[in-house]
């Protein structure tokens, strides 16, 4: 099947109206109807139900349209990236980050990289809690700004810096009025726990299960920082964050409170074992100059 049919299906899925979808795509309604019929024939199942001049998605159609949006977005991003390469003849270094690039620490490193490597374009890709390791192993990104501890033999981790942790507390909870907490104050609390796919050692670390020596109570399963914040604000969840993250996310339903005795959070530069591409080597050099770390070459 071609991408044009996918685009038309997505457009019809958005409008649920053949006339409106055809108008947006600047084509005849009969042509749109024919293309959708061909697509459904190729797929072997119905995407849309047409009855009494109304259009609705089938259950399979709803799932297909969601997947099609992702495919089209990925293709668009790939074309943009490849066009930039063709136009500028610049190589690309893809940096993965999970809502937490700790800009106050990492900006000097990336600014230095830009000054020293004008021929290499930095592309930043936002990841989720559940796909950081997978994105490196699968080749979606070249480098990930990844919190440690993690222990995956396929990756190399070099610690860049450490910073304090804070508790993320519902604004309505009694603990929210305190100026500081201890780890013991949080051990019996339910946590926002990363969904399946996140490294187990990171789950244990952020939910204090490594201190408790048993899994945390689960208030919510989450994949992103906004999901964590909503779970804390409205679902009674608790969590711990690195202190730099508090400057990027404010919400009236939560409070950030220092944890006096929590271990420091470490940020690493994670790559595949043995990756010594020019872009990775250049970023390693900038990390050395910025954070006074040492990389094996």
């Amino acid at each position: 099947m071609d991408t044009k049919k996918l685009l038309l299906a997505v457009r019809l899925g958005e409008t649920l109206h053949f006339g409106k979808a055809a108008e947006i795509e600047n084509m005849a309604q009969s042509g749109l109807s024919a293309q959708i019929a061909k697509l459904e024939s190729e797929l072997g199942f119905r995407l849309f139900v047409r009855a009494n001049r109304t259009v609705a998605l089938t259950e399979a159609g709803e799932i297909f349209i969601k997947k099609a949006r992702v495919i089209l977005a990925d293709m668009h991003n790939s074309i943009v990236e490849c066009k930039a390469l063709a136009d500028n003849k610049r190589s690309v270094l893809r940096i993965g980050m999970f809502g937490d690039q700790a800009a106050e620490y990492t900006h000097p490193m990336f600014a230095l990289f830009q000054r020293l490597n004008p021929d290499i374009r930095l592309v930043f890709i936002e990841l989720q809690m559940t796909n950081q390791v997978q994105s490196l192993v699968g080749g979606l990104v070249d480098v990930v700004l990844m919190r440690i501890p993690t222990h995956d033999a396929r990756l190399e981790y070099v610690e860049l810096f450490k910073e304090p942790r804070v508790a993320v507390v519902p604004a309505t909870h009694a603990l929210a009025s305190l100026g500081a907490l201890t780890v013991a104050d949080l051990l019996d609390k339910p946590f926002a726990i990363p969904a399946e796919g996140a490294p187990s050692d990171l789950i244990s670390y952020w939910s204090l299960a490594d201190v408790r020596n048993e899994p945390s109570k689960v208030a919510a399963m989450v994949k992103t920082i906004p999901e964590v914040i909503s779970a804390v604000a409205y679902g009674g969840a608790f969590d711990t964050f690195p202190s730099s993250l508090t400057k990027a996310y404010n919400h009236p339903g939560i409070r950030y409170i220092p944890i006096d005795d929590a271990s420091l959070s470490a940020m690493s530069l994670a790559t595949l074992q043995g990756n010594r591409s020019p872009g990775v080597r250049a970023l390693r050099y900038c990390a050395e100059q910025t954070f006074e770390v040492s990389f094996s070459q």
Side-chain angles (χ1 to χ4, degrees), residues 113-222:
F113 183 95
Q114 286 185 307
R115 291 198 301 271
L116 297 181
N117 303 278
D119 57 327
I120 303 177
R121 186 167 67 92
L122 291 174
V123 173
F124 291 86
I125 299 173
E126 185 172 5
L127 306 177
Q128 295 184 344
M129 298 176 184
T130 55
N131 67 351
Q132 296 177 76
V133 172
Q134 297 90 324
S135 294
L136 268 175
V137 173
L140 175 65
V141 296
D142 305 300
V143 178
V144 172
L145 290 172
M146 188 180 296
R147 296 282 172 175
I148 49 179
T150 55
H151 305 283
D152 191 302
R154 297 168 293 181
L155 307 184
E156 293 183 48
Y157 310 88
V158 176
E159 183 181 303
L160 300 179
F161 59 86
K162 291 183 177 180
E163 60 177 312
R165 276 193 285 174
V166 301
V168 192
V169 177
T172 55
H173 196 278
L175 293 181
S177 62
L178 300 181
L181 299 174
T182 66
V183 168
D185 293 324
L186 301 167
L187 292 183
D188 64 339
K189 302 298 185 289
F191 274 72
I193 301 296
E196 183 178 356
S200 59
D201 36 20
L202 282 183
I203 295 174
S204 176
Y205 177 76
W206 292 108
S207 67
L208 303 177
D210 58 341
V211 178
R212 192 183 298 102
N213 292 319
E214 62 181 10
S216 306
K217 297 177 184 177
V218 179
M221 303 298 293
V222 295

